[in-house]
Amino acid sequence: MNTKSAWTLKAQEQPLIIAGPCSAETEAQVLATAHQLKDTGVNIFRAGIWKPRTRPGSFEGIGRPALAWLQRVQAETGLRVATEVANTKHVEQGLQHGIDVLWIGARTTANPFAVQEIADALKGTAIPVLVKNPVNPDVNLWLGAIERLEKAGIKQVGAIHRGISPLGKSVYRNNPEWNMPITLKKLRPDLLLINDPSHIAGNRQLLAGIAETALALHMDGLMIETHLQPEAAWSDAHQQITPQALRELLAKLSGRPLASGTRSTTDLNDMRHSIDYIDEQLIDLLSYRMQVATEIGNYKMQHGLAVFQQERWAELLEKHTSLALSKNLNEEFITQLFDRIHQESVRRQHGVLPLIPVRAVAVGQ
Ligand code: PEP
Ligand code: MN
């Protein structure tokens, strides 16, 4: 059973940092990672032991034997340890091994039966539990999972924002859908709310920008996947970063005005900082978009494809406009903005397609 019940999860002056590998793979990997993370400002070491994989055939976690590895992490580094649970058996084994914090994964949060089973198994314990948002954009389902745990008597319940599964292609693995954590925070300002930029980004490039935005939005902390050799990881290889990269990221973030004891402060400075970070993200995304446009230009050149596709552009614009309208953006503004973005893509594609005649401004992307 958890013997550290007096300990509180709630972030104080500094953001709460949870880091560690997506999955516990070997005892040596778990211990070496934890030792490297020990003095980096990380509060809690994470490692998935039971892995909810979207499709069968992928690595599904070490299971019970890895719990003893986490106990060694506690003993040797003094770090708290956290793992994901999805059923009664996981909860019981986690509690028996003195795991400090449990989290419920996004796929499990989407299933009230599974969440209720976990809540029932947790009755009478004092272990903190973090609930990831469900894979679909439903704040009530997220809140409902949190309430099931609270009703079971769990005092320390927090939320993790990890984005939602995109419909179709997206630059993100899971779209951040910032409205979800913002709404949850409005409904429950008392809750600990942390951000998981690793599962939102799905790659190392977008990770820092998401983390910055989360802190600018006054979230209380970050969960970041960390691996000694990210490319060789048995799960989520594209998004993990080394302990050294994490150290650099945290140093960069610590220069930022972070959520402090005054979580609800929204003075002019805070709001300006939020705008700065959001603009930086827009620039990152525009740069990424232009790179993709250039790649499409290269592809067309190599395959001798025709360039002119007015219909494709009209279709895109219509789709973007209706999405923008649903998010309270002005139609004229969005049309002009995308016209400019499109012109710039066309200019780039002309750069790689000098021999293909282009009429008008429409180039299919
Ligand atoms: C994880 O944290 O490794 C994980 C499986 O996350 P999610 O539930 O957000 O997909
Ligand atoms: Mn993962």
Side-chain angles (χ1 to χ4, degrees):
M1 291 288 284
N2 181 37
T3 52
K4 298 170 188 160
S5 53
W7 173 64
T8 166
L9 253 188
K10 195 88 180 160
Q12 290 98 38
E13 287 305 306
Q14 291 301 313
L16 182 82
I17 306 296
I18 305 177
C22 176
S23 302
E25 298 167 5
T26 65
E27 184 167 22
Q29 168 243 8
V30 165
L31 285 161
T33 313
H35 278 283
Q36 288 201 23
L37 289 175
K38 192 172 63 166
D39 300 313
T40 54
V42 170
N43 310 94
I44 301 172
F45 180 80
R46 66 150 279 156
I49 283 176
W50 297 284
K51 300 300 299 174
R53 306 313 298 272
T54 302
R55 298 180 66 190
S58 316
F59 171 60
E60 297 200 321
I62 295 289
R64 189 186 184 114
L67 288 164
W69 307 346
L70 292 181
Q71 289 179 304
R72 275 194 69 185
V73 169
Q74 288 169 322
E76 291 181 24
T77 67
L79 287 168
R80 313 265 172 182
V81 297
T83 200
E84 172 173 346
V85 289
N87 58 36
T88 304
K89 186 189 82 180
H90 299 162
V91 170
E92 285 173 358
Q93 293 185 7
L95 292 171
Q96 277 160 14
H97 287 79
I99 299 302
D100 298 294
V101 178
L102 301 177
W103 84 81
I104 297 182
R107 295 159 192 78
T108 307
T109 307
N111 178 354
F113 290 124
V115 175
Q116 191 57 52
E117 176 184 324
I118 294 168
D120 291 341
L122 283 164
K123 273 192 185 133
T125 71
I127 191 165
V129 184
L130 300 172
V131 182
K132 291 212 181 189
N133 68 258
V135 286
N136 52 328
D138 187 342
V139 180
N140 279 328
L141 198 54
W142 195 6
L143 188 57
I146 289 164
E147 288 168 350
R148 284 177 198 277
L149 294 164
E150 289 175 332
K151 280 189 163 218
I154 303 299
K155 295 273 180 303
Q156 294 196 63
V157 183
I160 303 177
H161 164 230
R162 55 76 82 191
I164 59 147
S165 305
L167 255 186
K169 282 204 165 154
S170 167
V171 291
Y172 301 106
R173 176 176 175 196
N174 291 295
N175 288 340
E177 204 61 44
W178 292 104
N179 274 335
M180 282 184 82
I182 290 169
T183 306
L184 185 74
K185 203 169 142 166
K186 276 195 190 132
L187 294 170
R188 289 290 307 269
D190 58 306
L191 276 182
L192 177 99
L193 173 60
I194 74 169
N195 171 262
D196 170 351
S198 305
H199 289 90
I200 292 176
N203 64 62
R204 288 178 270 284
Q205 292 71 37
L206 293 176
L207 193 111
I210 296 163
E212 284 181 1
T213 304
L215 295 180
L217 290 171
H218 296 282
M219 295 207 197
D220 298 302
L222 300 167
M223 178 189 255
I224 300 182
E225 287 188 337
T226 319
H227 196 281
L228 295 177
Q229 284 178 284
E231 316 73 34
W234 296 3
S235 59
D236 291 354
H238 298 304
Q239 69 198 34
Q240 306 206 52
I241 58 173
T242 61
Q244 175 58 26
L246 179 74
R247 200 170 295 133
E248 286 160 18
L249 175 61
L250 294 180
K252 185 173 165 233
L253 293 172
S254 71
R256 309 286 188 185
L258 304 175
S260 63
T262 53
R263 284 181 70 203
S264 56
T265 311
T266 48
D267 65 17
L268 187 59
N269 267 348
D270 283 348
M271 290 190 283
R272 283 183 172 154
H273 282 300
S274 301
I275 291 287
D276 288 354
Y277 300 145
I278 292 165
D279 286 353
E280 279 173 27
Q281 288 238 65
L282 285 173
I283 290 167
D284 272 356
L285 285 174
L286 282 171
S287 154
Y288 188 44
R289 192 192 192 283
M290 292 308 157
Q291 276 174 37
V292 175
T294 306
E295 278 167 29
I296 291 175
N298 279 323
Y299 182 93
K300 285 175 180 165
M301 184 174 67
Q302 280 158 18
H303 293 80
L305 291 177
V307 170
F308 186 58
Q309 289 176 19
Q310 173 86 51
E311 268 174 27
R312 161 80 176 136
W313 174 236
E315 215 178 88
L316 259 188
L317 195 59
E318 198 186 311
K319 204 172 77 181
H320 292 352
T321 309
S322 74
L323 179 65
L325 284 174
S326 76
K327 293 182 185 266
N328 287 329
L329 290 166
N330 175 282
E331 183 168 355
E332 193 188 351
F333 162 68
I334 217 72
T335 309
Q336 287 176 357
L337 180 67
F338 272 101
D339 255 345
R340 273 304 289 122
I341 291 173
H342 186 243
Q343 279 169 27
E344 178 60 12
S345 287
V346 170
R347 196 187 65 77
R348 292 240 177 175
Q349 294 206 355
H350 282 179
V352 291
L353 290 168
L355 300 175
I356 299 180
V358 176
R359 290 180 282 130
V361 291
V363 174
Q365 289 175 32

